[in-house]
Amino acid sequence: MSDAISELFARDPLELTRENIESIIAYYRENREKFVSGVKAPAATKTRAAKPKADLAGLSLNDLGLGDL
Amino acid sequence: MTQLLPRTESLSHTTAIPDPPKPGFPSPFLPDSQIQYAWDSTSLGLLKACPRKYYLTMIEGWRKRDESMHLTFGIAYHKGLERYDIFRTQGSDHHEALIKVVQQCLCESGDRVLDEQGVEVWQPWETGNTKKNRETLVRSIIWYLEEYKNDAARTLVLANGKPAVELSFRFDTGIHLGQGKNYILSGHMDRLVEFGGTHYVMDRKTTGSTLSGYYFDGYSPDNQMTLYTLASRIVYDMPVAGVIIDAAQVAVGFTAFSRGITMRTELQLDEWLEGFSDWMTTAAYYAEVQRWPMNEMSCNNYGACQFRGVCNKDPRVRQSFLANDFHKVPWNPLEER
């Protein structure tokens, strides 16, 4: 939800003007159109710890336990 | 039948009498008894699923704490859509009706409370649930009304000239209970509509499930849908063929909609009422002996019964588990919304 809409939701509804309500409706209309046309809402970004990459170039068959092949 | 234990020593002997109803509404129970004379699809469904579940919900009045949130969401969603139907029948255009509905929904999804200084402040509804909260409620109402803006289903007009929305019904089944009383069936229907030349009840549902054919198959047979069809024929004298189910899948980031129809024939309705009579005989027996047995075959249905964590404990400690995880919110089929 955008900050502007969050702010409207937090406000006392008796203080909301017609324009405020129309903004909420317009926001959800746009939101729905995006959903219907297949545009997904951005998901929360997850940060993952980078996996240490193996130095494959430096490995020999002995390192892999395949030295007798 | 062999009685293994004398009744007074039975582990499942119950003595609770339902709490008095909210002021202004009659009790659905006969005075000082466990005999319910006014039934709706919720209480009947509980009895059919498991007599113990029925007893804990209807007679002792327990409800899981977070279940109230789902109920509040469902009622607010229905109320919003019903109001829209009324505004439209009163002449408002789509946009105007939508503005009024959203405004009322925002006003009713919160409370006015006193802060530390004794000043009245607005406190919006906080559920702590990512799927069912104030924002998804408003979103679901707006999206539904946009989805069905040009709906082919038209609200019927009752014989008294009023639009057939927000329909609370109550009718005498003619099935004797004794003491000169008959059983009553009651409930609330969203709307009666004409769709493709046929009359239907329209029922709106919210769910977390995906809306597939499997979802809609679950409504045939179905206690609630059969009762609604029966009630609209008896109470409103409408030749209703069945129920249109407008289902909404409420998810964190979207609300998806799908429509299904479930039909009922005259004979199916008669058969259901005959079954109701048999269930009443069973309920009267349980009330008389004051024992409501568990139906263990129901414990794992629909993602497990809310009372499973109580019923799986030793009988001596169950009340403590109930008091901890549940609160008392009695369900009254005679309460009008």
Side-chain angles (χ1 to χ4, degrees):
Chain A
M1 193 160 47
S2 74
D3 289 348
I5 299 299
S6 293
E7 192 275 319
L8 291 178
F9 264 84
R11 218 187 277 179
D12 184 335
L14 291 179
E15 290 170 9
L16 293 175
T17 63
R18 183 186 169 95
E19 287 68 36
N20 294 149
I21 303 286
E22 287 192 324
S23 304
I24 292 173
I25 293 171
Y27 170 78
Y28 283 114
R29 271 196 183 132
E30 191 188 343
N31 211 251
R32 177 177 170 272
E33 277 160 22
K34 282 182 186 165
F35 172 72
V36 170
S37 62
V39 181
K40 286 187 178 174
T45 319
K46 282 184 181 174
T47 48
R48 287 185 181 172
K51 281 185 182 174
K53 284 185 180 173
D55 180 10
L56 296 177
L59 287 176
S60 68
L61 288 177
N62 281 335
D63 293 329
L64 298 171
L66 302 172
D68 293 336
L69 289 174
Chain B
M1 192 167 67
T2 309
Q3 200 167 4
L4 297 176
L5 292 167
R7 187 182 301 170
T8 51
E9 292 173 24
S10 166
L11 293 174
S12 55
H13 179 63
T14 60
T15 53
I17 296 298
D19 288 338
K22 274 189 204 165
F25 298 105
S27 170
F29 291 89
L30 293 182
D32 302 322
S33 83
Q34 295 183 346
I35 296 177
Q36 186 179 341
Y37 72 91
W39 292 75
D40 62 355
S41 62
T42 302
S43 50
L44 185 57
L46 289 165
L47 177 70
K48 288 179 176 180
C50 171
R52 182 65 57 84
K53 185 178 185 180
Y54 164 83
Y55 169 77
L56 293 172
T57 310
M58 292 301 299
I59 296 176
E60 291 206 1
W62 295 108
R63 200 177 291 176
K64 190 100 176 168
R65 289 183 193 276
D66 67 349
E67 193 199 299
S68 308
M69 176 268 294
H70 294 290
L71 193 65
T72 307
F73 186 96
I75 289 174
Y77 177 76
H78 277 83
K79 200 172 254 184
L81 301 182
E82 282 168 358
R83 278 187 182 138
Y84 174 86
D85 294 332
I86 292 172
F87 290 138
R88 289 305 306 269
T89 54
Q90 287 173 345
S92 296
D93 65 19
H94 169 72
H95 188 66
E96 198 57 38
L98 189 53
I99 288 174
K100 290 180 195 169
V101 165
V102 170
Q103 192 162 32
Q104 289 187 346
C105 178
L106 288 168
C107 285
E108 289 172 4
S109 52
D111 294 300
R112 293 187 184 280
V113 293
L114 296 178
D115 68 7
E116 288 166 3
Q117 280 79 44
V119 179
E120 195 179 80
V121 291
W122 168 250
Q123 190 174 284
W125 187 39
E126 295 283 351
T127 64
N129 186 296
T130 53
K131 286 186 183 177
K132 290 190 175 172
N133 52 52
R134 196 162 175 252
E135 192 228 328
T136 60
L137 172 67
V138 173
R139 180 193 68 202
S140 299
I141 290 173
I142 295 174
W143 283 29
Y144 176 91
L145 295 174
E146 288 294 305
E147 177 97 7
Y148 294 109
K149 188 164 52 177
N150 301 309
D151 196 359
R154 302 276 169 212
T155 304
L156 290 169
V157 176
L158 298 172
N160 61 11
K162 289 185 175 172
V165 296
E166 286 185 310
L167 303 166
S168 285
F169 66 85
R170 198 183 288 186
F171 65 93
D172 187 328
T173 60
I175 299 166
H176 298 299
L177 159 70
Q179 300 176 25
K181 250 184 148 60
N182 287 348
Y183 285 102
I184 285 172
L185 279 165
S186 66
H188 307 276
M189 293 185 292
D190 291 345
R191 190 180 171 205
L192 294 177
V193 298
E194 180 272 320
F195 183 67
T198 307
H199 293 179
Y200 297 94
V201 176
M202 179 175 275
D203 193 50
R204 279 116 172 195
K205 296 278 180 206
T206 60
T207 176
S209 311
T210 306
L211 302 175
S212 59
Y214 179 76
Y215 172 83
F216 290 105
D217 286 348
Y219 290 108
S220 186
D222 178 82
N223 199 39
Q224 185 184 30
M225 300 308 155
T226 310
L227 173 57
Y228 284 0
T229 309
L230 185 68
S232 48
R233 290 191 186 192
I234 292 175
V235 181
Y236 297 103
D237 200 21
M238 291 274 188
V240 162
V243 183
I244 294 178
I245 301 150
D246 270 1
Q249 179 195 355
V250 184
V252 177
F254 67 89
T255 307
F257 304 96
S258 191
R259 178 171 281 181
I261 299 181
T262 181
M263 311 287 273
R264 297 293 184 274
T265 67
E266 195 74 43
L267 285 179
Q268 284 176 314
L269 298 178
D270 289 347
E271 184 184 34
W272 184 87
L273 202 54
E274 197 175 87
F276 173 74
S277 177
D278 292 334
W279 279 105
M280 291 306 98
T281 306
T282 309
Y285 169 75
Y286 293 145
E288 187 194 329
V289 298
Q290 295 188 312
R291 284 200 307 270
W292 300 85
M294 284 182 209
N295 174 13
E296 295 88 345
M297 298 304 288
S298 279
C299 299
N300 299 317
N301 290 349
Y302 307 110
C305 170
Q306 58 181 343
F307 294 109
R308 190 172 68 177
V310 172
C311 294
N312 65 10
K313 303 293 183 300
D314 184 278
R316 288 167 297 187
V317 298
R318 284 185 196 143
Q319 282 298 320
S320 319
F321 280 87
L322 281 168
N324 206 36
D325 299 335
F326 294 76
H327 59 159
K328 286 208 172 188
V329 188
W331 180 259
N332 186 352
L334 295 177
E335 214 168 280
E336 287 185 20
R337 286 182 196 155

